[in-house]
Amino acid sequence: LSCLEGSSEVFFCRISSGAKFDASGTPTDEWSTPLGPHRIWRKLISIHMVGGTTGGGYDLPGIGWTCLFSGTGVAIHSTFWHNNFGEPMSHGCVNVRPEDARWIFRWAEPSVAYDPGDVTVGMPGGTVVEVIER
């Protein structure tokens, strides 16, 4: 992930994007990170993320430094449950180390006050997130 100001890179970190396979290991696009330009529309210092199916889902409290950029709930956020950055393995989100998520959260627009720690913005939204496949 590269953070750009104009054409200058001001920050870079390794990520884990959406998996290209399902829970059974079958290739699929179901969990892929949506390609193209998106705008950050909500930021939360911490959020409880829940999803998936019984026995195959996830229930993760306290996901820090979350920047939602897709109406389907896809976000850039901190990840404490793995260290496989560089490997696609999320359910669509962009997983980063907690210290990287914190830097991105503080840099990206819109800004968020620490109290209440949550902001939702109208369109056109905040910082543009351009998802490309390499």
Side-chain angles (χ1 to χ4, degrees), residues 12-88:
F12 171 85
C13 66
R14 294 179 60 81
I15 64 140
S16 286
S17 60
K20 299 189 179 292
F21 48 86
D22 63 18
S24 303
T26 307
T28 183
D29 286 333
E30 181 182 352
W31 291 342
S32 63
T33 304
L35 299 175
H38 311 274
R39 285 197 177 266
I40 293 174
W41 64 274
R42 187 172 187 197
K43 289 172 58 181
L44 303 103
I45 290 175
S46 180
I47 187 171
H48 187 157
M49 291 187 176
V50 180
T53 60
T54 303
Y58 55 94
D59 185 351
L60 300 165
I63 306 303
W65 313 113
T66 300
C67 298
L68 289 146
F69 64 86
S70 164
T72 59
V74 177
I76 300 167
H77 61 73
S78 69
T79 304
F80 56 80
W81 53 91
H82 75 77
N83 198 24
N84 284 342
F85 302 107
E87 297 293 324

